[in-house]
Amino acid sequence: MIRQPGSDDSTPTPEELRARVEGTREELGMEVEEAAGKTADVKEQAQAKAAELKETAQAKGAELKAQAQVKGAELKGQAQTRAAGAKAQAQVKAAEVLERTPQPVRERAYQVGESARTNVKPLIGFGLAVLAVCVVVSRAGRR
């Protein structure tokens, strides 16, 4: 049997082929749009997640900074308290030493201090002489 164009239902006509092609194009266009929409959604979700993580990191950083400031203030207070305690102990010890030191020794120490304050030049000269002697002795020991 010979088939005649257009008479058999199994052979599509050019109009039917064009209609099928157009339908396929429309389906493909919708699928492409759907895929593009999904891609855009994924991109938006990634951007939203990145923004959320950035905010979380900034909040955590601010929290850690605040904790560090509190801890720093606490440590500063402790250091000041300890320094004040050490100063008070030194003053107590100095007072005890002063009480135990006989009066003539205290008077002589005061006189020496006053003499050193008023006669600075002779004291500096004496110190330089001692330094010179030390240098000469140390060089002689090397030879």
Side-chain angles (χ1 to χ4, degrees), residues 123-139:
L123 187 60
I124 292 174
F126 178 72
L128 288 174
V130 169
L131 180 62
V133 168
C134 290
V135 169
V136 170
V137 170
S138 68
R139 285 191 179 177

Side-chain angles (χ1 to χ4, degrees), residues 15-79:
E15 290 83 27
E16 290 175 339
L17 287 174
R18 285 186 188 108
R20 285 184 190 174
V21 167
E22 189 60 34
T24 304
R25 282 184 185 159
E26 286 179 17
E27 287 178 26
L28 285 174
M30 284 192 259
E31 288 178 9
V32 167
E33 284 180 19
E34 185 179 322
K38 288 180 181 178
T39 303
D41 287 344
V42 169
K43 185 176 178 183
E44 288 174 7
Q45 289 174 357
Q47 289 174 342
K49 186 67 174 177
E52 180 183 333
L53 290 173
K54 181 179 177 182
E55 288 177 15
T56 302
Q58 287 175 339
K60 189 66 173 174
E63 180 183 337
L64 291 174
K65 181 179 177 182
Q67 288 177 353
Q69 287 174 338
V70 168
K71 190 65 173 175
E74 181 182 316
L75 291 174
K76 181 180 177 183
Q78 289 176 355

